[in-house]
Amino acid sequence: MSKEATIWLAIFAVGAINYVARLSFIALFARRDMPPLLGRALKHVPAAMLTAIVVPAVVFVGQGVLRLDPGNAKLIAAVAALAVAAWRQSTTLTIVVGMAVLWLAQYALR
Amino acid sequence: MRPHFSRPAFFEGVRDMTPVLIGIVPFGMVCGIAAVSAGASPLAALAMSAIMFSGAAQIVAAQLLAAGAPLLVIVLSCLVVGLRFLVYSAAMAPYLRPLDHRWRGILSFVLTDQAFAGTIQRFRESGDLRANASYFLGGGVLLWVVWQLATLAGILVGQVIPASWQLEFVVPLCFLAILAPLLRDRVTLLVVAVAGVAAIALDDMPMRLSLICAGLIGIAAGAIADTFRGQHE
C-alpha cells in the first residue's frame, strides 16, 4: 500500500473511531449509564495515556537516549511546567513557563 | 429539548477558550509539520486536523507513518489513545442528554481534551442547559477553526522555523497542563508513575507499541489499586 493510501485510510478510520468514542455516551448509549465495571476500567485512561505520551517526549533526547539528570533541558522545563500547572490551573501559564525554562536551560547548558 | 442558540453564551465560550490558543496554535503547527515530514501531502495533513481533530492521535499517527508502520498499527494505536474520549463523553452525557440529536452530534464532534477541561466545571455549576450548550459550542468551534489554521501555518512555514526553538515541546506541555489537576488523587498518582516507568522501560519496542503497552499497564495498575482500596472501605 502506498504511503498516501495508508494516510487517507488512517484519517478516515481514526476520524470515525474518534467520533464514535466522542458520541458514545452523549448520543449512542444515551439511555444508559456507563456499566460500573467499564467505568472503573476507563476512569484511569486519560491519566495513563497522557503520561505514556508525555514521559518519552521529556526524558529521551535523540533516539532512545535516556537522560534523567539535570543536563536534560526538557526535563527541567517539564518539572517547572508541572509545578506551575499544579499551582495554578492555567494552560497558558504552564506553556509559557515551560517554553521559557526550556530555552533558558538550553542556553545555560550550552 | 431544542435549546435555541444563545449568542452571548456562544461568544462567552469563545472568549474563555482564547487563552488556551497559546498552546493550541503551536501544537497545531507541530501537527502540520509532523504530518508533512512523515510523508503526507499538504491536503492529507490538513484532513488529519479536520477529520481526526485530536492532537494526540495526529502526533502518534505521524510518528508511526514516519517509521513506516502498517495501517493496522496506526489505527490500533490511535484507538487506544482515543479511548479517553469515552471518559469525556460519559462525563458530559448527563448534562447533554436533554438536547436534540443535532446538538449532541455537533457538540460531540468538538469534544476535545481542552474543550472538556475548559467547560465541564460550568456544566457542573450551572443548570442553564441552553447557555451551557452554546458556551461549549463557542469554545469547541474556536478550537476547531484555529486548529485548521495552525495546521495550515505549520504546513506552509514549518520549514523556516529553526529546530533550536523546539516548538514540538508544546505537545507534552499541553498534556501536562491537563494531567496536573488529576494528580490530587493517590490512585491517579500511581497510574501516572506506573505508566511513566513502563513508557521508559518499553521504549525499545518496535513501532511505538510502548505507547499502547505503557498506557494499558498504567490503567491495569489503577484498576487493581481501586480494587484493593475498595476492600478497605
Side-chain angles (χ1 to χ4, degrees):
Chain A
M1 199 185 302
S2 79
K3 200 164 214 177
E4 191 69 8
T6 305
I7 295 170
W8 282 104
L9 287 172
I11 289 170
F12 288 110
V14 175
I17 288 169
N18 278 350
Y19 190 51
V20 167
R22 286 162 160 151
L23 271 177
S24 57
F25 291 96
I26 292 173
L28 300 181
F29 334 118
R31 297 270 165 81
R32 62 182 82 174
D33 289 315
M34 191 187 278
L37 195 67
L38 183 65
R40 249 178 287 156
L42 284 179
K43 195 174 68 182
H44 301 296
V45 166
M49 292 317 298
L50 294 180
T51 302
I53 294 171
V54 168
V55 167
V58 170
V59 301
F60 289 105
V61 294
Q63 194 70 299
V65 183
L66 181 64
R67 286 290 299 272
L68 285 172
D69 58 285
N72 177 359
K74 292 195 294 181
L75 188 60
I76 297 174
V79 170
L82 187 62
V84 169
W87 171 55
R88 287 277 156 86
Q89 265 189 40
S90 160
T91 307
T92 314
L93 205 59
T94 304
I95 288 161
V96 169
V97 169
M99 289 311 284
V101 171
L102 177 71
W103 290 332
L104 279 174
Q106 239 174 357
Y107 181 75
L109 292 169
R110 202 162 45 182
Chain B
M1 186 180 127
R2 186 182 290 258
H4 298 290
F5 176 69
S6 160
R7 187 187 289 260
F10 179 89
F11 283 104
E12 203 189 327
V14 170
R15 195 194 61 205
D16 287 356
M17 199 57 80
T18 309
V20 176
L21 299 183
I22 196 159
I24 289 308
V25 169
F27 193 164
M29 290 177 71
V30 169
C31 282
I33 296 167
V36 170
S37 47
S41 66
L43 186 65
L46 266 180
M48 281 175 90
S49 282
I51 297 169
M52 287 189 186
F53 191 39
S54 161
Q58 289 171 237
I59 289 292
V60 167
Q63 286 173 345
L64 289 173
L65 202 64
L71 179 66
L72 186 68
V73 172
I74 298 176
V75 172
L76 211 60
S77 300
C78 290
L79 186 144
V80 176
V81 168
L83 279 181
R84 65 193 196 291
F85 292 130
L86 286 175
V87 181
Y88 300 156
S89 185
M92 277 287 182
Y95 307 105
L96 302 183
R97 240 166 239 174
L99 298 173
D100 70 10
H101 277 96
R102 211 177 35 152
W103 269 96
R104 283 187 281 167
I106 295 170
L107 292 183
S108 294
F109 187 73
V110 294
L111 179 61
T112 56
D113 294 289
Q114 281 76 18
F116 177 77
T119 52
I120 187 70
Q121 200 58 34
R122 185 185 165 110
F123 277 92
R124 284 181 183 141
E125 284 165 2
S126 152
D128 184 353
L129 183 58
R130 177 185 158 202
N132 288 351
S134 299
Y135 179 88
F136 185 87
L137 185 66
V141 166
L142 176 76
L143 286 175
W144 191 86
V145 170
V146 172
W147 190 244
Q148 311 314 314
L149 295 175
T151 307
L152 186 63
I155 295 166
L156 294 176
V157 303
Q159 293 86 342
V160 298
I161 295 173
S164 64
W165 287 13
Q166 301 232 50
L167 199 61
E168 69 281 358
F169 196 65
V170 297
V171 176
L173 289 177
C174 281
F175 291 134
L176 265 181
I178 292 165
L179 201 50
L182 305 176
L183 298 179
R184 298 185 199 287
D185 172 69
R186 272 164 64 191
V187 175
T188 308
L189 272 175
L190 176 79
V191 170
V192 166
V194 169
V197 170
I200 294 170
L202 301 174
D203 190 65
D204 279 342
M205 291 179 82
M207 296 184 296
R208 289 215 66 197
L209 289 171
S210 57
L211 177 73
I212 301 180
C213 293
L216 294 180
I217 291 170
I219 293 163
I224 292 167
D226 279 338
T227 311
F228 278 105
R229 193 161 65 168
Q231 282 170 357
H232 287 293
E233 277 163 8

